[in-house]
Every structure is written in C-alpha cells, then in structure tokens.
Amino acid sequence: MSSTHPPFRASDGERDRAIGELRDRAVEGRISHDTFVGRVDQALRARNQQELDALVADLPRRATFRQRVTGMLTGVVSAASDFTTNLQAAWRRPRLPRLALPDDDRRRYVVGRGSACDLVLADLTVSRVHAELRREDDDGGWTLVDLGSLNGTRLNGWRLVGPARVKSGDEVSFGDCGFLVSSGLPSH
C-alpha cells in the first residue's frame, strides 16, 4: 500500500501570497502585464501549493532595500542632471527677434525674400514669397499661412500644413529665420 497522499489543496492565503508576489514584480517592471495577468489566472485555478510555487519560482529576486534606495537616488541624480542640462541649453538658445503684428488697417502682411514683401528677409532659406499673415474679420486676430515655400513655415516648432492662428508669445520661423510674435505694437 502506497503512503503518498494527494497534495493538499492550496488555501486562499497561499493564493493571495502568490498573487501578491506577482503584483510586486509587475509593479517593479520585472514582468510584463500580460505575464502578470496570465499567472494570476493560473494562481486562481491552482489546485495545490506546488502549482503556486511553480508560478513564482522563475521570478527575478526582489531588490533589497539598499538596491531600491540606490535606484531611487540614481533616478533623482539623473533627473537633476537632465534639468541642469535643459536649463543650460535654454540659456544658450539665442533670443529670437520680435515680429510685431501690424496694428493698423492692413489685412495682409507678406513675408519673403522678394522686395515687394512687407517683411523682407535676406536669407537663402526664405522663399521669394514665403508666407503671409492674414487678419481675421471676426475678432481681428491673425492667421499664418505658408505660400508653398521650399523650406516651410513653422509655428511653435510645427511645420504648417494649413492656416494656423498666431498670438503674442508664439514662435514662428520662415526657413531658418525665427521670430517671437508680439502684438499691440504700432508698425512702421
């Protein structure tokens, strides 16, 4: 007569411990979400402790307190370093000249390299007739339109693919010539 007994049924507490272990590894990023979901399903269907043990046996060991603190400190130092780098880059960035939106009755304001333009830019990246600012009838605001320029017109870093509203504080560039939009100033 054999004395091997069937394995004991897994208790709810043992299932909870196994699922907690899986959850901790998922939170730490040590297992994928799909792996976590699949194994939780297996844990809920496990018939005994051996099946639960198999679900967590191959998981990476949990980081020690020292490793977690070291990881956090490394992240903080890295974030501070990134902030310093970004701040230095911002200070080194050249200050853009201002482009004052006309404060008169003009409806169109053409920008380009051509002598007939309202704003003449003598830069080879600017097309002869590059872009235009149009005053809107409803509120008197301005819309920027690229006129098929070769090197494009950008608003706040995005290349225009259609008309776009501009306001004071926006950055616009025609080819390589950048400006900071300001309004309310009289034109001359």
Side-chain angles (χ1 to χ4, degrees):
M1 192 170 178
S2 171
S3 67
T4 54
H5 300 289
F8 290 107
R9 182 185 174 283
S11 71
D12 290 340
E14 292 166 333
R15 287 178 208 282
D16 287 345
R17 275 191 291 281
I19 291 171
E21 194 72 23
L22 291 166
R23 182 193 61 239
D24 291 346
R25 292 308 166 277
V27 168
E28 293 170 356
R30 296 182 176 267
I31 61 172
S32 71
H33 177 72
D34 292 339
T35 300
F36 170 73
V37 170
R39 289 193 182 185
V40 165
D41 185 51
Q42 290 174 342
L44 294 173
R45 288 186 282 125
R47 292 180 304 245
N48 55 52
Q49 183 62 45
Q50 286 89 0
E51 290 179 9
L52 289 174
D53 290 343
L55 293 175
V56 297
D58 67 332
L59 295 179
R61 288 189 135 344
R62 188 168 201 179
T64 65
F65 176 75
R66 183 179 200 167
Q67 290 168 329
R68 287 190 303 248
V69 168
T70 302
M72 287 188 315
L73 289 175
T74 302
V76 168
V77 169
S78 176
S81 176
D82 289 346
F83 173 76
T84 303
T85 301
N86 291 339
L87 185 62
Q88 289 171 342
W91 276 104
R92 273 189 243 117
R93 184 180 309 141
R95 293 186 186 242
L96 296 174
R98 298 213 180 266
L99 172 63
L101 296 173
D103 194 23
D104 54 17
D105 294 336
R106 202 176 334 189
R107 312 289 308 155
R108 289 180 73 222
Y109 191 75
V110 180
V111 179
R113 215 174 59 235
S115 60
C117 294
D118 298 298
L119 174 61
V120 177
L121 301 173
D123 186 290
L124 294 178
T125 63
V126 177
S127 297
R128 263 183 305 163
V129 180
H130 196 99
E132 99 177 334
L133 287 158
R134 297 178 186 159
R135 189 183 305 265
E136 297 297 319
D137 292 329
D138 54 352
D139 63 358
W142 290 89
T143 299
L144 181 62
V145 180
D146 184 79
L147 298 176
S149 66
L150 182 64
N151 293 307
T153 302
R154 295 184 179 277
L155 176 61
N156 296 321
W158 293 91
R159 188 168 181 157
L160 291 185
V161 293
R165 296 288 293 218
V166 292
K167 62 188 180 314
S168 186
D170 284 341
E171 289 184 24
V172 296
S173 60
F174 311 100
D176 289 340
C177 295
F179 296 89
L180 186 64
V181 175
S182 61
S183 61
L185 300 174
S187 61
H188 35 311

